[in-house]
């Protein structure tokens, strides 16, 4: 049976919750609108769930939901229901003095690639490694594309290959992705978010059993829209 797309996700603001979609447009930079915005400190560091030379940890980001309004601007919904938009004076009050919600150019805030992908069998396999009855919730991994698969970790065998997704309709061109490398995970996968508690086992288990990796990084070869149910072929 052909592999099919069963999940499409976009995250308008770096390190915040995003939204599931039935269909997404992809351009050369990835899913259109994905991680194009971020919280930025006065020193230029971006708000994140971790501290690095580039990022500064802001607690609670994964409790904030980001979406786009009708004008294409991000709206951040806080846990108490407050809605925040770029330029809102409540942003520095909530996230720290000098913090702004900014659009950081067309490349956005990708950590390593344009589009990330994971297979459902890998989610089930990680759940098994954890000793859980259920697959690991894909929300922890923040992948753009989820593919229904039967074989755990099969997506890692696609490194160096090209994926052809969708394009089955008359006259429709497929989305083509070049698979660059495995995805190395970080502390973000362990953190609590709306609907999910903190779980430090996940990164420890990935480190011990999978070299900290799950899923794949890809770059866009040929942009096109993608929808749930579209087929996926590795060439």
């Amino acid at each position: 049976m052909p592999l099919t797309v069963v999940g499409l996700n976009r995250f308008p603001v770096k390190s915040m919750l995003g939204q599931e979609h039935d269909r997404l447009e992809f351009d050369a930079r990835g899913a259109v609108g994905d991680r194009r915005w971020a919280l930025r400190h006065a020193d230029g560091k971006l708000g994140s769930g971790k501290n690095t030379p580039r990022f500064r940890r802001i607690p609670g980001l994964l409790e904030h939901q980001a979406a786009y309004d009708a004008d294409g601007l991000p709206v951040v919904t806080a846990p108490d229901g407050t809605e925040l938009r770029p330029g809102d004076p409540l942003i520095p009050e909530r996230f720290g003095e000098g913090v702004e919600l900014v659009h950081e150019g067309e490349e956005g805030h990708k950590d390593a690639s344009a589009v990330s992908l994971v297979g459902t069998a890998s989610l089930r396999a990680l759940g098994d490694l954890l000793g859980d009855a259920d697959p690991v919730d894909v929300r922890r991994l923040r992948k753009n594309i989820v593919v229904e698969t039967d074989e755990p970790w099969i997506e890692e065998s696609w490194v160096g290959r090209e994926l052809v997704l969708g394009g089955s309709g008359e006259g429709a061109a497929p989305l083509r992705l070049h698979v660059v490398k495995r995805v190395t995970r970080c502390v973000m996968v362990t953190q609590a978010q709306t609907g999910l508690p903190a779980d430090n086992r996940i990164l420890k288990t990935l480190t011990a059993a999978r070299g900290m990796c799950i899923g794949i990084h890809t770059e866009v070869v040929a942009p096109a829209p993608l929808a749930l149910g579209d087929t996926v072929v590795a060439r």
Side-chain angles (χ1 to χ4, degrees):
M1 293 181 62
L3 305 177
T4 58
V5 175
V6 294
L8 289 169
N9 304 285
R10 180 174 68 178
F11 306 91
V13 179
K14 172 73 179 173
S15 297
M16 290 188 183
L17 300 179
Q19 290 184 304
E20 299 178 0
H21 293 268
D22 294 334
R23 184 179 185 276
L24 279 177
E25 295 282 344
F26 287 79
D27 61 18
R29 299 175 297 275
V32 173
D34 187 50
R35 296 174 174 91
R36 297 293 197 267
W37 294 77
L39 294 175
R40 187 174 66 193
H41 293 268
D43 62 2
K45 286 195 173 186
L46 303 179
S48 177
K50 58 188 177 183
N51 288 312
T52 72
R54 183 184 175 200
F55 301 127
R56 180 180 298 172
R57 183 173 184 269
I58 298 179
L61 286 187
L62 286 175
E63 297 174 353
H64 292 74
Q65 186 91 34
Y68 287 108
D69 65 15
D71 296 321
L73 293 174
V75 179
V76 173
T77 303
D80 62 5
T82 301
E83 292 188 348
L84 307 169
R85 289 173 167 79
D88 194 319
L90 289 177
I91 289 176
E93 290 182 19
R94 182 175 291 267
F95 297 113
E97 184 178 356
V99 174
E100 299 177 283
L101 179 58
V102 296
H103 187 277
E104 285 288 302
E106 291 306 314
E107 292 304 315
H109 305 288
K110 311 288 184 167
D111 286 347
S113 68
V115 180
S116 58
L117 181 151
V118 72
T120 55
S122 299
L123 300 175
R124 292 191 293 271
L126 180 53
D128 290 341
L129 288 172
L130 292 168
D132 295 341
D134 298 320
V136 166
D137 196 309
V138 71
R139 289 178 294 171
R140 292 197 181 276
L141 306 181
R142 302 173 65 77
K143 302 298 189 194
N144 296 121
I145 301 173
V146 184
V147 176
E148 183 68 43
T149 55
D150 294 325
E151 181 181 340
W153 326 116
I154 189 173
E155 59 271 30
E156 296 180 4
S157 71
W158 302 338
V159 172
R161 299 167 68 183
E162 183 174 288
L163 302 182
V164 180
L165 304 94
S168 57
E170 184 176 351
L175 172 66
R176 292 165 50 208
L177 303 174
H178 174 69
V179 183
V180 179
K181 62 181 179 179
R182 301 162 74 199
V183 176
T184 303
R185 299 307 316 179
C186 66
V187 71
M188 289 288 288
V189 301
T190 71
Q191 295 182 5
Q193 58 178 277
T194 301
L196 294 173
D199 191 342
N200 292 327
R201 301 175 305 151
I202 296 174
L203 188 57
K204 291 179 180 178
T205 300
L206 282 174
T207 300
R210 302 293 308 159
M212 296 179 69
C213 293
I214 183 170
I216 51 176
H217 284 300
T218 75
E219 298 292 346
V220 178
V221 176
L226 189 66
L228 297 182
D230 280 348
T231 59
V232 180
V233 177
R235 292 181 176 173

